[in-house]
Amino acid sequence: MTKILASVVTSTLILVSATAPAAAEGDVALGQKAFQRCSACHSTTDQKKAGPGLGGVVGRAAGSIEGVRYSAAMKASGLVWDEATLDRFLAAPREVVPTTTMTAGVPNPEDRLNIIAYLKSLSE
């Protein structure tokens, strides 16, 4: 009886994990729309505006694009832009890098998740 119960529990867990959406996935289309607020300072290509272009940002070291004017703190931060780091930084840039020149944050967690999904799609 114990083996049968263990088999049922295992099968149920496998089925639930295979059908449940991943909690940390954003919507690329909504992210592209939400990114519009970022586009005054950032492009999604190599074009430099007030801030660096964000095409290929996921996996890139912070402050590493030649010719972009970064704060000394950003250059020395040692950050690599992954999902968790982007989420923290977008939520409160100056809490992550105190003297960053980026002052605008994205307070809504769903917007951040979607923007990160959009940025990831540009890095693939």
Side-chain angles (χ1 to χ4, degrees), residues 8-29:
V8 169
V9 169
T10 301
S11 297
T12 301
L13 289 173
I14 291 169
L15 180 62
V16 168
S17 67
T19 59
E25 289 184 22
D27 183 293
V28 173

Side-chain angles (χ1 to χ4, degrees), residues 7-111:
S7 178
V8 169
V9 169
T10 301
S11 297
T12 301
L13 289 173
I14 291 169
L15 180 62
V16 168
S17 67
T19 59
E25 289 184 22
D27 183 293
V28 173
L30 291 176
Q32 184 175 16
K33 184 175 180 180
F35 184 83
Q36 290 175 358
R37 74 178 86 176
C38 311
S39 64
C41 296
H42 297 280
S43 73
T44 56
T45 64
D46 292 340
Q47 177 190 9
K48 295 167 192 77
K49 292 185 172 184
L54 298 179
V57 69
V58 177
R60 184 168 66 212
S64 64
I65 297 177
E66 291 296 320
V68 174
R69 194 171 47 107
Y70 294 105
S71 67
M74 183 63 75
K75 289 180 187 177
S77 70
L79 297 174
V80 174
W81 298 121
D82 60 17
E83 292 174 47
T85 304
L86 283 165
D87 185 54
R88 285 189 355 257
F89 186 75
L90 290 173
R94 293 217 166 160
E95 286 181 20
V96 177
V97 181
T99 59
T100 182
T101 56
M102 182 166 149
T103 58
V106 181
N108 182 306
E110 188 174 336
D111 286 346

